[in-house]
Amino acid sequence: MRCPFCGHDDTQVKDSRSTEDGVAIRRRRVCSACTQRFTTVERVQLRELSVTKADGRRVPFDRDKLARSIRVALRKRPVPEERQERLVNGLVRQLEASGEQEISSHRIGQLAMDALREVDGVAYVRFTSVYRDFREVEAFSKILADMKPIPGETDIPSPDDSQETP
C-alpha cells in the first residue's frame, strides 16, 4: 500500500479491526519512510459494476459517490453515521446481488430514494429534488402529497400550540 503522505511503497499494518456491520476491515498503517499513520478500509467486491448514464455513457460504479449523495441528503438529520453506512452498504449489496454487471443510473437513484424514504422523509425529499432536478415548487408539492406518514414521525407543533402563559 502506497503512503498517501510521501508516496513510499512500504507501509506496515499496525492494527486490523472488522467494522461494526462486519462487511469491511479497517486497517491502521504506518509508513516506514515518513512514519505517518493512516487508515485503509478493505471491502469485499463481488464483481466490477458499471453504471449506464442517461446519455448512454458507461462509467465504473463509484461507491463513494453514492455514499456522498446519501450523506448530503441526511446532513443535519437525526440519523447516526453508523446507520448511514449500513444504508450505503445495503444499497451496494443490492446492486451486486442483482447479478447484473451494468446498472442504469436511474435504477441506482430509485433504490437510493426508496431507502431514504424509509429512513428519513426530509432526506428523501432532498435527494429526490436533486435527483429529479426539481425546478418548480409544484414538483415539491406533488412529492409531498404522494408521501404517506412514516410510523414514529410526529408533527412538529406550531408556535401557536405552545403551553406557555405570559
Side-chain angles (χ1 to χ4, degrees):
M1 171 74 51
R2 188 177 304 268
C3 174
F5 301 103
C6 70
H8 193 307
D9 286 343
D10 188 24
T11 61
Q12 188 175 28
V13 175
K14 290 296 185 185
D15 182 41
S16 293
R17 293 185 184 163
S18 178
T19 57
E20 286 184 25
D21 57 2
V23 298
I25 296 175
R26 297 175 58 88
R27 298 192 193 281
R28 285 295 291 160
R29 296 178 176 268
V30 65
C31 175
S32 60
C34 68
T35 68
Q36 290 287 329
R37 293 178 180 263
F38 59 98
T39 301
T40 59
V41 179
E42 183 179 312
R43 287 185 172 77
V44 172
Q45 184 175 351
L46 297 177
R47 63 177 50 93
E48 290 287 326
L49 298 175
S50 63
V51 178
T52 306
K53 300 286 194 173
D55 64 5
R57 288 180 300 127
R58 288 181 176 82
V59 296
F61 174 73
D62 184 355
R63 181 193 187 283
D64 293 333
K65 182 177 179 183
L66 177 62
R68 276 191 309 273
S69 298
I70 297 292
R71 284 193 174 87
V72 166
L74 288 166
R75 186 175 292 147
K76 295 186 180 180
R77 298 300 302 153
V79 179
E81 184 128 354
E82 302 82 44
R83 174 75 169 110
Q84 294 178 33
E85 187 65 25
R86 283 195 312 269
L87 182 105
V88 173
N89 288 339
L91 289 170
V92 171
R93 277 195 300 271
Q94 272 185 282
L95 295 171
E96 289 178 336
S98 73
E100 300 173 36
Q101 207 158 352
E102 285 187 17
I103 299 167
S104 72
S105 59
H106 174 76
R107 178 143 181 254
I108 295 170
Q110 190 61 52
L111 286 172
M113 285 189 299
D114 293 345
L116 283 169
R117 189 174 191 158
E118 296 297 316
V119 172
D120 185 89
V122 172
Y124 166 73
V125 173
R126 286 177 180 170
F127 186 91
T128 303
S129 69
V130 172
Y131 177 72
R132 292 191 178 159
D133 195 21
F134 287 180
R135 295 186 186 272
E136 302 295 328
V137 173
E138 290 79 25
F140 285 98
S141 299
K142 182 178 178 341
I143 199 160
L144 290 172
D146 291 345
M147 287 184 69
K148 27 183 189 176
I150 297 173
E153 283 191 358
T154 58
D155 292 331
I156 298 172
S158 68
D160 299 335
D161 293 343
S162 67
Q163 300 295 328
E164 294 179 25
T165 55

